[in-house]
Amino acid sequence: MSLELQLGLLLLLAALGMPLFAVILGIALVGLQAAGYGEAALTEFYGLGDMPGLIAIPLFTLAGYLLSESQAPRRLVRLSNALLGGLPGGLAIVAIVACAFFTAFTGASGVTVVAMGALLFPALVAAGYPKAYSLGLVTAGGSLGLLFAPSLPLILYGFVAGPIAGDPGVSIPDLFLAGLLPGLLMLLVLSAHAMWVGRSVPAPPQGFDAGELRAALWEARWELPLPLIVLTAVYQGVLAVSEVAALTAAYVLVVTVLVRREIGFHQLPGVMAEAMRMVGAILLILGAARALSNWFIDQDVPGRLYAFVSAYVDSPLEFLLLLNLFLLVVGMLVDIFSAIVILTPLLMPLAAQFGVHPAHLGVVMLANLQIGYFTPPVGMNLFIAAYRFQQPVTTLVRATLPFLLLLGATVLLITWWPGLSLALLAG
């Protein structure tokens, strides 16, 4: 059977529902076998164990799943509401901040829609926010936070991009810094919109309550150190990323199981198993994509791609704007982990030819892919929210359209302004 026929058969199986990692690995096996070294595909899985810091992925994932199964989301919402609830649009801003924080630690946008949406959607509607706005906010809000440490997609991009980046290089701590200002810009844009929407919503009768703030701070006293642990340790260079992940997982485990006792010992194996299923899926995709990247490199796909693109594109900005459109489509169709490990080895050499810093490329990629989560017609969060809130998908599409336009414009600004991603690196 010819190479073209085998690849066509694999694409047909993909259309019929074959798991994506199997499609990726199948294409890699077929291509490498045709090149004469098919066994190289399998050695990539063995080589995953040699990747420095890879243990950070399962440890951060476990910490995120433990938080999602505890009462931490409720405490986070209460604290945010005590701080921001008295502002115009305060409860909506609370939802934005809480979703971003939660997604940053779980790394899973769909988990945020399910876990936080159950708390925030009824509260927003009860406070007088329009139902369509409330639906759109909790659906789009689930994708916020992927640019903040210790987001799994951010870490995964660092693992894939680090070994292949030339000069300048890129590391996971670099990416934690690069994503901070663009992520905050997204939150500020949505918060400004929330204040505009909140003009017609009755203000909370109690306003700011110092006693409630003290009570909320005390209740969340065990969760508050988490971002400080991650950010301080990584940014100050005190600990490696893997060590920070271990410290975070141990801290969350002790707090949720022994201190707060919100997760019983009998529940712990189930939570761990669920977290490791997600990790297993990520590692399968990573190993398969590394094998596929070997074949791409063998066939000089990056070089051919650059020759094709350079015939039509003259500047870095044109390249990044076209990349925005491409990544939005990819984000609708492919999960973010697969997109990162497949596209990064292809796009990084291309971006380097146009002088795009690898950290800025990562921020642009993740910013676009996170919007793809709720971009119609097939954004994953649309279907998760439709199931969670028992609403037609068409209703969710209309509800998320303002957020798509706002965040889309913000992504264009982030793309055009690389200094926003690189400012903290330069410092």
Side-chain angles (χ1 to χ4, degrees):
M1 187 183 296
S2 67
L3 175 62
E4 292 78 10
L5 189 56
Q6 293 180 73
L7 294 176
L9 180 59
L10 285 168
L11 293 177
L12 175 61
L13 291 172
L16 294 175
M18 185 176 178
L20 183 59
F21 82 89
V23 176
I24 298 170
L25 184 58
I27 293 174
L29 284 169
V30 168
L32 290 172
Q33 188 65 41
Y37 45 94
E39 69 282 354
L42 300 180
T43 61
E44 290 299 334
F45 286 92
Y46 181 80
L48 289 177
D50 295 327
M51 292 182 67
L54 189 68
I55 191 64
I57 291 179
L59 289 171
F60 276 130
T61 303
L62 176 60
Y65 270 77
L66 288 169
L67 286 172
S68 68
E69 292 295 324
S70 70
Q71 294 299 310
R74 180 189 60 77
R75 288 188 289 272
L76 176 61
V77 170
R78 182 187 180 188
L79 176 59
S80 301
N81 196 43
L83 286 167
L84 306 169
L87 298 173
L91 184 58
I93 298 174
V94 167
I96 293 165
V97 172
C99 285
F101 178 90
F102 199 70
T103 301
F105 270 89
T106 62
S109 179
V111 172
T112 300
V113 173
V114 173
M116 301 300 286
L119 294 170
L120 295 169
F121 176 62
L124 288 165
V125 173
Y129 288 86
K131 183 179 178 182
Y133 174 80
S134 304
L135 280 172
L137 179 58
V138 295
T139 304
S143 68
L144 299 173
L146 295 181
L147 291 176
F148 295 126
S151 158
L152 285 180
L154 204 60
I155 293 172
L156 187 61
Y157 176 84
F159 279 126
V160 178
I164 60 177
D167 186 19
V170 65
S171 65
I172 293 173
D174 289 340
L175 292 167
F176 284 179
L177 289 171
L180 191 57
L181 294 182
L184 287 174
L185 179 62
M186 288 184 159
L187 298 191
L188 287 174
V189 168
L190 290 190
S191 296
H193 179 246
M195 295 179 73
W196 183 80
V197 172
R199 295 176 307 164
S200 58
V201 177
Q206 75 278 7
F208 177 78
D209 187 335
E212 168 63 12
L213 177 58
R214 285 193 297 271
L217 284 168
W218 177 252
E219 188 182 33
R221 64 192 181 280
W222 292 105
E223 285 80 17
L224 287 177
L226 271 175
L228 297 178
I229 290 172
V230 174
L231 299 177
T232 304
V234 172
Y235 293 159
Q236 296 298 322
V238 177
L239 298 173
V241 173
S242 57
E243 294 169 332
V244 175
L247 179 60
T248 303
Y251 181 88
V252 173
L253 181 65
V254 170
V255 169
T256 56
V257 177
L258 299 179
V259 178
R260 294 207 183 266
R261 299 183 180 179
E262 293 173 344
I263 298 177
F265 284 102
H266 66 284
Q267 298 173 278
L268 200 54
V271 176
M272 288 182 168
E274 190 66 29
M276 292 310 107
R277 274 192 285 271
M278 181 176 178
V279 173
I282 294 173
L283 294 182
L284 280 173
I285 293 168
L286 181 56
R290 279 163 56 95
L292 183 63
S293 298
N294 278 342
W295 183 50
F296 284 159
I297 294 170
D298 178 74
Q299 299 299 308
D300 193 29
V301 173
R304 297 180 185 182
L305 190 60
Y306 173 70
F308 174 79
V309 172
S310 60
Y312 302 96
V313 176
D314 298 322
S315 70
L317 182 59
E318 288 180 10
F319 164 72
L320 288 170
L321 291 176
L322 288 175
L323 183 63
N324 283 340
L325 296 175
F326 172 68
L327 290 172
L328 279 177
V329 176
V330 171
M332 288 188 288
L333 302 173
V334 181
D335 70 272
I336 193 167
F337 302 110
S338 301
I340 290 170
V341 294
I342 295 171
L343 296 178
T344 300
L346 289 176
L347 295 177
M348 182 161 288
L350 191 59
Q353 295 291 337
F354 286 101
V356 178
H357 194 287
H360 182 52
L361 175 66
V363 168
V364 171
M365 283 184 65
L366 294 184
N368 279 280
L369 292 172
Q370 76 176 30
I371 294 178
Y373 270 123
F374 62 92
T375 303
V378 289
M380 181 180 66
N381 279 9
L382 296 174
F383 297 94
I384 293 174
Y387 175 79
R388 179 65 185 83
F389 305 118
Q390 298 298 300
Q391 298 288 330
V393 173
T394 52
T395 300
L396 271 302
V397 170
R398 289 192 295 270
T400 55
L401 185 57
F403 299 92
L404 178 62
L405 295 175
L406 287 168
L407 290 177
T410 308
V411 169
L412 288 176
L413 178 59
I414 292 169
T415 301
W416 173 78
W417 188 10
L420 191 65
S421 304
L422 305 178
L424 298 180
L425 297 186

